[in-house]
Amino acid sequence: MAENYIREYWAKIQSREVAACKRLKQQYQKLIKELDNPRDPWVFDLEAANRPIEFIEQFCRHSKGKWLGQPVQLELFQKAKLQAIFGFVHKETGLRRCREVLTIEGRKNGKSTEMAALALYMMVGDGEGGPEVYCVATKRDQARIVFTEAVNMRDQSPALRAHLKKRKTDLYFPLIFGKFEPLASESNSLDGLNSHGVIIDELHAIKDRNLYDVMKQSMAAREQPLLAMITTAGFVRECIYDDIYDYACKVLDGLVDDERFLAFIYELDDRSEWTDFRAWEKANPGLGTIKSYEELAANVERAKNDPSFLPTVLTKDFNIRETRAGTWLTFEQANCEKEFSLDDLRDTYAIGGVDLGATTDLCAAVAIVKKPGDPDFYVLVQGFMPEENIETRTREDKVPYDKWVERGYITPCPGNRVDYRYVTDWFMTLHMEYGISAYWTGYDSWNSPAWVEDMEARLGYERGKNLLPVIMGAKTLSAPMKELKAELAGKRINYNRNPVLLWALTNMAVEVDKNENIRPVKGQNQRQRIDPAVALIIAYTVLQQHLEDYKALIGGD
């Protein structure tokens, strides 16, 4: 009788023979629960669950390294995942339930081999007429990695070589008119596809959500399509990776009920575990068999002595979401999951901050609110961009400005320049509609005279009294920035999960002078804007300069 690898893997997790993180345990707990108590109309079909495993181990062969030419022998974690994907089917139609699966695991755990074999099965063995299978990525070279591995598997296997034809751009299965082809967002057109299987390799590298959306929509006409995403963590924030990761966590936490979505997340539970060899398997399920333990240990030792290498190890080996080396904050320090409603801040005093920047780029305004007896700082953030530049910036910068505009995080200003009156409008809206009054507002005096005059004319503010220029040098900003960093790391800066501010915080680097004073600067990528983070620093600097007066104003300690 065929084995149930889901139960076998779960037993090893429970006995701690396999080290597993919280997220992986959540997924297998859900699977085991359903094996014990099926959810109508779905049943677990062990024969269907094992078909892809049997296909891969019978027909697919390795094409690299010491395993060249040898049959692929799947690891237990791979078999359990395949059974979970293919085993739960409709009791009457036999169509599988799973439509989308996310796999996050450290590098060198056999991702390319697994996905290439899966693509071949989807094209040859899934019982679909005219199956179209695609491997997609931002760049064609990345998309071809899995495709090339599948071609090499075909070349190593007499059975597959006899039936699959290698054409100029794809693999073709004449018997049922099936094909497997690599595609990229740079392709001439992704419209008109009728996908049965879609593999997204290295999801973290995809900056344009449109690629994911188009490929998902391309499966609408199929009866049992599958979108498989496999990736390590990455350095790019506010991309599709963060969206899918957060969605997966909501599904695993039971906040979203999506029975067609599976998530197999291999990661450390805590950043501090990266030096504990007993925890390494949490992010590396193939450690010791597929992935070299010695190589990982060497990487960890180097990272201990080379701070610039540490973000790479944390992100690529242990799936800790990180920022590039040299940035001011790690992702863990910058990220805050707390939320609030504007109604919670009605009739309060705030400290404002604006970074007006260049007239053709992103500008930002911030308001910080403290409430008596509450340790948190509540931060309101608004971006401003020239309307005519949004589409170009979105395309060239590979940043979802257009989506942020749709969600209200960025206000578009007519024309090709930021109209600073819209910044004043934002402060007026806070005051008139919510009673949130920016008692002091800081600004960088460069490029600000027109806005200052507008604030004076329309809100009655006065330069030097309510409107305070902030010198953007290390002497002024260093101490507030160091305190702000501690507050961010302590999760006391509640910015309502504003993605624009999070993105800016993870972009920011610092310049250090001979006295260890710091000031904010852009990182190596000049397209990664920092204006919202600078506006926050300006507001926080004003807050620190007037802290005792502000406490007296709000009636706090």
Side-chain angles (χ1 to χ4, degrees):
M1 183 177 177
E3 295 183 66
N4 187 310
Y5 298 114
I6 297 173
R7 292 191 184 278
E8 183 179 344
Y9 192 45
W10 177 241
K12 290 181 180 293
I13 291 173
Q14 284 189 302
S15 68
R16 299 187 180 181
E17 184 178 344
V18 168
C21 67
K22 168 189 171 182
R23 295 301 183 189
L24 189 71
K25 290 177 181 177
Q26 285 179 310
Q27 181 61 82
Y28 277 95
Q29 284 171 336
K30 289 166 66 87
L31 293 169
I32 293 296
K33 181 179 180 180
E34 190 161 6
L35 287 175
D36 293 336
N37 300 284
R39 294 176 59 181
D40 192 66
W42 308 107
V43 296
F44 184 72
D45 184 334
L46 190 57
E47 182 180 349
N50 280 319
R51 283 184 198 130
I53 298 171
E54 293 167 354
F55 173 90
I56 291 170
E57 294 192 335
Q58 181 174 352
F59 297 113
C60 297
R61 295 177 179 268
H62 290 284
S63 63
K64 291 184 177 68
K66 62 183 180 181
W67 296 296
L68 177 66
Q70 297 181 24
V72 172
Q73 295 295 316
L74 295 169
E75 297 288 321
L76 178 58
F77 75 93
Q78 295 170 321
K79 292 179 179 179
K81 180 174 71 173
L82 287 171
Q83 283 192 339
I85 295 169
F86 289 90
F88 290 94
V89 299
H90 195 282
K91 64 182 181 182
E92 294 178 359
T93 66
L95 297 175
R96 68 170 164 273
R97 182 178 65 191
C98 180
R99 294 289 190 267
E100 190 170 352
V101 58
L102 171 69
T103 302
I104 300 174
E105 58 189 35
R107 60 183 170 183
K108 304 298 183 184
N109 279 278
K111 293 192 294 294
S112 296
T113 298
E114 180 184 335
M115 288 297 101
L118 177 61
L120 290 172
Y121 175 76
M122 293 294 291
M123 179 174 63
V124 174
D126 203 35
E128 183 75 8
E132 296 178 18
V133 181
Y134 300 100
C135 182
V136 299
T138 300
K139 299 293 184 181
R140 187 175 295 274
D141 287 347
Q142 179 65 43
R144 290 188 65 87
I145 292 175
V146 169
F147 175 74
T148 300
E149 181 68 16
V151 171
N152 292 339
M153 282 183 174
R154 173 258 185 196
D155 293 343
Q156 293 288 325
S157 168
L160 293 179
R161 193 167 61 246
H163 295 283
L164 302 184
K165 308 303 178 185
K166 173 64 176 73
R167 302 191 297 192
K168 185 176 180 179
T169 61
D170 64 12
L171 275 176
Y172 182 59
F173 186 27
L175 184 63
I176 56 172
F177 310 105
K179 70 172 183 176
F180 176 36
E181 182 179 357
L183 294 175
S185 57
E186 61 194 13
S187 302
N188 291 333
S189 176
L190 296 175
D191 296 326
L193 303 179
N194 185 14
S195 307
H196 172 61
V198 175
I199 292 169
I200 299 181
D201 189 24
E202 297 299 5
L203 181 71
H204 70 85
I206 294 178
K207 304 179 182 69
D208 182 5
R209 184 189 175 95
N210 183 61
L211 180 60
Y212 166 86
D213 290 337
V214 168
M215 296 311 298
K216 188 170 177 62
Q217 291 165 3
S218 75
M219 304 189 302
R222 298 286 183 172
E223 285 189 311
Q224 52 174 7
L226 180 65
L227 171 62
M229 299 165 285
I230 193 159
T231 186
T232 64
F235 297 107
V236 179
R237 300 278 64 85
E238 270 310 300
C239 61
I240 185 62
Y241 175 92
D242 281 351
D243 289 346
I244 298 297
Y245 180 91
D246 291 343
Y247 182 77
C249 291
K250 289 177 181 177
V251 172
L252 294 175
D253 287 337
L255 301 176
V256 172
D257 184 14
D258 187 347
E259 59 187 5
R260 294 183 178 273
F261 182 94
L262 295 174
F264 299 89
I265 300 176
Y266 293 87
E267 63 182 4
L268 297 185
D269 287 307
D270 188 87
R271 178 188 171 98
S272 64
E273 293 179 321
W274 73 278
T275 57
D276 183 357
F277 68 92
R278 293 165 297 187
W280 293 352
E281 188 183 9
K282 290 182 179 182
N284 297 278
L287 189 62
T289 51
I290 301 173
K291 180 169 182 170
S292 167
Y293 178 91
E294 290 75 17
E295 180 183 345
L296 179 56
N299 285 339
V300 169
E301 286 304 310
R302 177 182 166 186
K304 289 178 181 178
N305 300 298
D306 182 359
S308 66
F309 187 56
L310 177 57
T312 298
V313 171
L314 290 175
T315 302
K316 297 303 179 184
D317 286 308
F318 298 121
N319 291 320
I320 299 295
R321 289 189 284 183
E322 261 293 355
T323 52
R324 289 287 184 188
T327 52
W328 181 44
L329 301 167
T330 66
F331 178 80
E332 182 181 7
Q333 290 169 330
N335 187 45
C336 181
E337 302 291 334
K338 294 180 179 179
E339 296 179 319
F340 63 85
S341 165
L342 269 174
D343 287 330
D344 299 333
L345 305 183
R346 283 187 179 276
D347 302 320
T348 55
Y349 287 107
I351 305 295
V354 297
D355 183 22
L356 298 179
T359 58
T360 59
D361 286 332
L362 176 69
C363 300
V366 160
I368 300 176
V369 175
K370 282 283 288 179
K371 297 193 290 186
D374 189 335
D376 285 353
F377 299 81
Y378 296 88
V379 176
L380 302 166
V381 191
Q382 190 64 31
F384 304 87
M385 285 190 77
E387 192 170 38
E388 292 182 6
N389 297 355
I390 290 171
E391 183 178 347
T392 301
R393 291 293 186 201
T394 298
R395 183 176 63 254
E396 293 181 353
D397 295 1
K398 305 298 184 184
V399 175
Y401 296 121
D402 55 349
K403 302 297 184 184
W404 289 338
V405 169
E406 291 176 8
R407 295 163 65 186
Y409 295 120
I410 292 177
T411 298
C413 301
N416 61 3
R417 300 170 68 87
V418 171
D419 185 340
Y420 295 148
R421 290 176 297 181
Y422 281 70
V423 180
T424 304
D425 288 345
W426 184 70
F427 282 105
M428 288 187 67
T429 298
L430 291 181
H431 176 66
M432 300 299 292
E433 294 188 15
Y434 297 95
I436 302 172
S437 302
Y439 197 81
W440 294 285
T441 298
Y443 62 95
D444 177 0
S445 58
W446 184 84
N447 206 26
S448 300
W451 173 76
V452 171
E453 291 177 5
D454 191 48
M455 289 285 284
E456 288 179 320
R458 297 168 62 196
L459 279 173
Y461 284 16
E462 297 180 35
R463 254 175 288 201
K465 182 178 179 181
N466 306 103
L467 294 171
L468 307 174
V470 175
I471 299 173
M472 301 303 290
K475 184 177 179 180
T476 301
L477 301 180
S478 184
M481 283 183 67
K482 291 176 180 178
E483 291 186 25
L484 178 60
K485 182 175 183 177
E487 299 290 3
L488 283 161
K491 309 306 176 191
R492 290 180 290 274
I493 305 295
N494 181 351
Y495 50 83
N496 213 18
R497 300 189 67 182
N498 185 294
V500 186
L501 179 59
L502 175 60
W503 169 71
L505 287 170
T506 57
N507 291 337
M508 183 181 291
V510 293
E511 183 178 86
V512 185
D513 67 15
K514 62 182 180 180
N515 297 316
E516 298 297 317
N517 292 318
I518 62 174
R519 72 180 188 92
V521 294
K522 284 185 177 181
Q524 294 181 352
N525 186 346
Q526 294 299 300
R527 295 184 184 275
Q528 303 298 298
R529 317 292 176 185
I530 63 173
D531 307 74
V534 172
L536 174 62
I537 291 170
I538 290 173
Y540 193 80
T541 298
V542 172
L543 174 62
Q544 293 303 307
Q545 292 171 345
H546 295 79
L547 186 58
E548 295 307 316
D549 290 338
Y550 182 65
K551 287 180 178 178
L553 186 68
I554 65 174
D557 297 329

